[in-house]
């Protein structure tokens, strides 16, 4: 490929819209352009990277025995009604109507479509197990699309779905995908870690996320310093140390104190001169089953996903001011469990054993101190509803947990019979008896994976592509295209590499060398070959590795073969 005929619209300046490195560099390197919030065009350079990434995913899926197909992007509402998700999926599901007023959605995921398909084409145990996948567009109307293709609304996903005769078979299928994913992210040259995860609206009983470790990751993961436990904080359990004994003799008298305008933990603890671990943080939530009050210690954070899972409700969000007032009789910042009636109260395990605590007085500008469980109020239940944090005990071995940030690039779920049951996907077993298929589903965000690779591999000058997904393996910079001697040498190297099947880009543009070198660094092709004055004068060319900056001088004779050796080394 010749640069002069290729389209790489690089940008000199950092685009204002980009908050993270990968987004900035993908825009600057001319890989993507935004059309609308969370909707991007992939330009030719970006497309090459995406295709190479997708190809590695494809090869490993094929190796694991999965079969590629293509499913429709536009999906009729009927199948979503069948699965029961039309009304529970929420606003990420982009719904639309056709000219006959029939309801459809843009596919955010394809469990319904695949289950409907398989139910029609698989009828016997002899056709199972089967694993089907596609690499195709998804649309999710994300509440906050950001970071470019990392959290887009329209994006490319590899999604696979396995169907087995029973649970044991489904576990084997799950294990194969776990292994395939590990191979994929290894081949892509990423530093990653599989972690236990929450299964979210997809449902199912068991799941792992594959996390690329990066400081800019949106996810926080906890890992154990001693055993191999690793989990997304969304899911991470906290080991219960057993109920701490309290001595009622230590209980002080409940007291009401004026706390004018003190709403935050910092304000209240500063004013009352107590540690935040003595505070009972009182949070009011509205859920699909009515309001709920959750209590966590002042130095802990609520984990809404654990709370939602515990309550087993479809929707849960922090209550608006009017709901808080109607339940507590006070504005936000002054809620407390003492005297609260007719609302379910769930207290985090971390509060067990707390004595003489501080909490809101359910009255504007008032808190209460010396609050004690059972004497002053009794929660409906204690549960594990807080976010795990650095230093918390590992749920497996009790040793301290460490936190790291990560980018979720892949997610595998054991679905069980959730969809086959609701949608009637059955097969006939050897005795002619109808049974439900046992399913699994497995996703990889292809664009997000590319962005994650860039987050992990770049410097101040631009992208440093891992070789397996680099848009080209070699960039030949012809320093002065009007110099016939240089041009001849560069063309020969270019032809030689092409003949050997190497992906090579020849920068034959009529541009200043400074611009060519800057673009070369920005675009991040692993090997840069410079054909300049020395090539003609001394028969020498420079070969530079983007990653290390290491430069090697090689003779012009047989240069293509020598460069090929360098690529594989
Ligand atoms: P997240 O928690 O980041 O929203 P998710 O749990 O909704 O992800 P899945 O439904 O498991 O994601 O989708 C499978 C994969 O698709 C994810 O692991 C991720 O790589 C990718 N993905 C999900 N949402 C997006 C998005 N908005 N933009 C780009 N890729 C995405
Ligand atoms: Mg999501």
């Amino acid at each position: 490929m010749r640069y002069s005929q290729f389209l790489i619209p690089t940008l000199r300046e950092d685009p204002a819209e980009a908050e993270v490195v990968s987004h900035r560099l993908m825009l600057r390197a001319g890989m993507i352009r935004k059309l609308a919030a969370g909707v991007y065009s992939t330009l030719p350079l970006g497309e090459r990277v995406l295709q190479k990434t997708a190809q590695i995913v494809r090869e490993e899926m094929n190796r694991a025995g999965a079969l590629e197909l293509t499913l429709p992007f536009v999906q009729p509402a009927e199948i979503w009604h069948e699965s029961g998700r039309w009304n529970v999926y929420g606003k990420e599901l982009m719904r639309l109507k056709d000219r006959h007023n029939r309801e459809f959605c843009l596919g955010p995921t394809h469990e319904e479509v695949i289950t409907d398909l398989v139910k029609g084409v698989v009828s016997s145990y002899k056709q199972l197990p089967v694993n089907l996948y596609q690499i195709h567009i998804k649309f999710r109307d994300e509440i906050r699309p950001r970071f470019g293709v990392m959290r887009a609304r329209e994006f490319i996903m590899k999604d696979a779905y396995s169907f087995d005769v029973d649970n044991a078979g489904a576990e084997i299928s799950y294990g194969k995908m776990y292994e395939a994913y590990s191979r994929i992210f290894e081949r892509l040259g990423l530093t990653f870690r599989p972690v236990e995860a929450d299964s979210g609206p997809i449902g199912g009983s068991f799941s792992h996320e594959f996390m690329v470790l990066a400081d800019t990751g949106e996810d926080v993961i906890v890992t154990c310093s001693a055993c191999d436990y690793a989990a997304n904080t969304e899911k991470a359990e906290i080991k219960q140390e057993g109920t701490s004994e309290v001595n009622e003799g230590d209980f002080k008298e409940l007291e009401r104190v004026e706390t004018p305008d003190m709403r935050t933990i910092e304000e209240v603890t500063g004013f009352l001169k107590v540690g935040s671990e003595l505070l009972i943080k009182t949070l009011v939530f509205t859920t699909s089953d009515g309001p709920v009050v959750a209590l966590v210690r002042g130095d802990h954070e609520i984990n809404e996903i654990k709370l939602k899972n515990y309550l087993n409700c479809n929707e849960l969000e922090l209550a608006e001011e009017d709901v808080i007032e109607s339940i507590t009789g006070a504005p936000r910042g002054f809620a407390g469990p003492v005297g609260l009636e007719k609302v379910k109260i769930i207290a985090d395990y971390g509060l067990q054993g707390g004595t003489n605590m501080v909490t809101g007085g359910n009255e504007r500008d008032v808190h209460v101190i010396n609050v004690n469980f059972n004497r002053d109020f009794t929660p409906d239940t204690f549960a594990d509803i807080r976010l795990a944090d650095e230093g918390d005990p590992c749920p497996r071995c009790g040793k301290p947990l460490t936190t790291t940030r990560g980018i979720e690039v892949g997610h595998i779920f054991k679905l069980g019979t959730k969809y086959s049951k609701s949608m009637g996907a059955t097969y006939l077993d050897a005795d002619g008896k109808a049974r439900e298929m046992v399913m699994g589903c497995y996703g990889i965000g292809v664009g997000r994976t590319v962005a994650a690779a860039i987050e992990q591999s770049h410097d101040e000058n631009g992208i440093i592509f891992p070789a397996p997904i680099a848009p080209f393996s070699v960039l030949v910079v012809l320093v002065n295209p009007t110099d016939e001697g240089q041009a001849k040498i560069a063309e020969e190297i270019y032809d030689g590499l092409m003949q050997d099947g190497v992906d090579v880009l020849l920068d034959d543009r009529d541009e200043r060398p400074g611009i060519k070198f800057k673009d070369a660094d920005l675009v991040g092709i692993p090997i840069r070959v410079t054909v300049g004055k020395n090539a003609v004068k001394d028969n020498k060319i420079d070969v530079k590795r983007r990653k290390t900056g290491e430069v090697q001088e090689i003779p012009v004779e047989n240069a293509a073969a020598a460069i090929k050796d360098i690529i594989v080394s």
Side-chain angles (χ1 to χ4, degrees):
M1 209 63 80
R2 287 166 189 277
Y3 209 132
S4 60
Q5 286 155 30
F6 206 76
L7 180 65
I8 312 181
T10 56
L11 303 174
R12 289 279 153 261
E13 303 296 325
D14 279 341
E17 65 188 273
E19 295 165 65
V20 293
V21 172
S22 57
H23 187 195
R24 197 165 74 222
L25 290 177
M26 287 177 85
L27 285 167
R28 282 195 52 203
M31 292 172 69
I32 54 167
R33 281 293 183 272
K34 178 164 127 182
L35 176 64
V39 180
Y40 287 84
S41 303
T42 309
L43 277 69
L45 190 79
E47 187 63 22
R48 290 183 73 95
V49 180
L50 210 60
Q51 293 287 354
K52 289 201 174 180
T53 308
Q55 186 54 25
I56 290 176
V57 173
R58 178 176 288 118
E59 284 168 19
E60 292 303 329
M61 294 308 289
N62 292 348
R63 180 206 288 264
L67 310 172
E68 189 167 4
L69 47 49
T70 304
L71 300 169
F73 175 50
V74 175
Q75 312 181 3
E78 284 80 8
I79 53 174
W80 286 75
H81 283 299
E82 258 185 71
S83 73
R85 283 207 293 185
W86 185 257
N87 296 323
V88 300
Y89 206 93
K91 292 190 178 155
E92 270 187 28
L93 190 64
M94 181 90 154
R95 297 155 211 254
L96 51 146
K97 284 186 180 161
D98 72 2
R99 64 170 74 202
H100 305 294
N101 230 16
R102 290 187 198 113
E103 287 188 299
F104 287 84
C105 65
L106 301 181
T109 175
H110 281 68
E111 284 80 13
E112 281 77 3
V113 174
I114 198 83
T115 309
D116 182 73
L117 176 76
V118 168
K119 141 179 145 181
V121 297
V122 172
S123 54
S124 157
Y125 71 98
K126 290 180 190 154
Q127 294 165 286
L128 296 174
V130 67
N131 187 334
L132 301 162
Y133 78 97
Q134 61 171 347
I135 301 179
H136 207 224
I137 295 174
K138 296 278 179 272
F139 193 96
R140 294 182 182 180
D141 199 359
E142 296 274 352
I143 184 165
R144 280 221 294 155
R146 58 198 172 135
F147 306 152
V149 296
M150 195 117 85
R151 182 164 298 285
R153 293 198 294 168
E154 185 177 303
F155 57 96
I156 305 285
M157 195 201 284
K158 184 286 297 173
D159 47 328
Y161 306 87
S162 65
F163 296 80
D164 276 272
V165 293
D166 57 17
N167 211 28
E171 269 168 29
I172 293 171
S173 296
Y174 186 91
K176 278 190 188 159
M177 287 296 105
Y178 187 101
E179 263 169 44
Y181 274 42
S182 302
R183 290 182 61 93
I184 288 167
F185 296 117
E186 228 150 77
R187 277 186 64 185
L188 292 172
L190 298 169
T191 309
F192 70 98
R193 175 132 201 196
V195 305
E196 290 182 18
D198 179 71
S199 49
I202 306 273
S205 48
F206 196 63
S207 87
H208 282 91
E209 284 166 349
F210 284 74
M211 292 285 185
V212 163
L213 307 182
D215 292 339
T216 47
E218 283 187 289
D219 286 278
V220 179
I221 57 184
V222 295
T223 52
C224 178
S225 49
C227 72
D228 62 2
Y229 181 75
N232 192 317
T233 40
E234 283 182 353
K235 149 101 190 205
E237 304 144 46
I238 295 163
K239 189 180 173 73
Q240 295 320 313
E241 316 266 33
T243 323
S244 323
E245 291 295 315
V246 291
N247 184 355
E248 291 187 16
D250 295 339
F251 286 6
K252 294 188 193 152
E253 201 168 321
L254 188 72
E255 227 178 283
R256 180 177 172 281
V257 289
E258 306 250 328
T259 48
D261 254 347
M262 312 278 166
R263 290 162 196 271
T264 64
I265 304 281
E266 294 74 37
E267 285 164 350
V268 176
T269 53
F271 183 70
L272 296 176
K273 304 206 167 34
V274 292
S276 55
E277 74 285 354
L278 268 189
L279 239 72
I280 303 175
K281 203 164 15 179
T282 308
L283 300 152
V284 183
F285 288 93
T286 41
T287 79
S288 39
D289 305 326
V292 168
V293 167
L295 310 177
V296 290
R297 234 166 66 178
D299 57 335
H300 290 159
E301 293 297 328
I302 184 84
N303 181 332
E304 292 186 20
I305 292 176
K306 282 197 208 168
L307 178 63
K308 189 167 169 231
N309 287 345
Y310 177 80
L311 293 166
N312 199 13
C313 58
N314 287 330
E315 265 161 59
L316 176 133
E317 53 187 33
L318 273 173
E320 299 289 337
E321 194 75 36
D322 56 327
V323 180
I324 297 176
E325 289 221 29
S326 75
I327 288 176
T328 69
R332 191 191 298 279
F334 301 99
V338 181
L340 273 195
E341 278 166 15
K342 291 189 216 118
V343 62
K344 194 166 184 176
I345 301 178
I346 305 190
D348 181 63
Y349 283 131
L351 284 164
Q352 280 178 330
T355 48
N356 300 323
M357 300 190 79
V358 176
T359 193
N362 295 329
E363 190 182 334
R364 181 187 287 274
D365 297 342
V366 171
H367 277 76
V368 280
I369 62 171
N370 304 331
V371 176
N372 286 292
F373 283 81
N374 298 331
R375 184 191 70 179
D376 303 320
F377 77 98
T378 307
D380 290 83
T381 180
F382 282 94
D384 176 15
I385 56 167
R386 74 172 170 96
L387 276 178
D389 201 359
E390 187 92 25
D392 277 334
C394 168
R396 296 276 159 73
C397 73
K399 292 276 159 27
L401 294 171
T402 332
T403 56
T404 337
R405 295 198 85 86
I407 301 166
E408 177 202 322
V409 287
H411 200 166
I412 57 177
F413 301 84
K414 223 177 92 193
L415 288 172
T417 53
K418 181 178 154 100
Y419 296 92
S420 46
K421 188 184 234 123
S422 54
M423 298 184 68
T426 57
Y427 67 94
L428 295 178
D429 70 10
D431 302 322
K433 194 165 167 264
R435 291 184 184 276
E436 279 150 7
M437 300 180 202
V438 185
M439 294 173 57
C441 74
Y442 318 93
I444 290 181
V446 181
R448 190 185 282 186
T449 301
V450 170
I454 296 173
E455 287 294 328
Q456 260 188 0
S457 185
H458 64 269
D459 63 14
E460 64 283 4
N461 298 320
I463 303 170
I464 305 174
F465 272 114
I469 61 166
F472 295 93
S473 304
V474 179
L475 171 69
V476 178
V477 178
L478 167 54
V479 176
N480 180 3
T482 58
D483 180 318
E484 275 177 31
Q486 285 183 32
K488 186 165 171 287
I489 295 168
E491 294 282 348
E492 269 171 23
I493 295 174
Y494 174 63
D495 284 341
L497 287 170
M498 291 247 282
Q499 267 169 31
D500 275 350
V502 174
D503 272 337
V504 51
L505 181 67
L506 172 66
D507 192 349
D508 57 345
R509 289 177 300 166
D510 182 17
E511 287 285 1
R512 281 186 290 118
I515 290 188
K516 293 187 176 184
F517 294 138
K518 266 209 156 58
D519 280 342
D521 278 349
L522 178 58
V523 163
I525 295 167
I527 306 273
R528 188 188 87 193
V529 177
T530 308
V531 181
K533 280 192 198 122
N534 286 353
V536 181
K537 207 166 71 187
D538 308 325
N539 270 329
K540 293 262 167 52
I541 52 171
D542 280 350
V543 180
K544 183 177 172 187
R545 289 171 199 261
R546 175 69 182 88
K547 191 168 174 181
T548 58
E550 184 195 336
V551 182
Q552 221 172 316
E553 226 182 29
I554 62 166
V556 167
E557 288 80 44
N558 297 322
I563 294 163
K564 221 184 150 192
D565 287 344
I566 292 173
I567 299 172
V568 293
S569 69

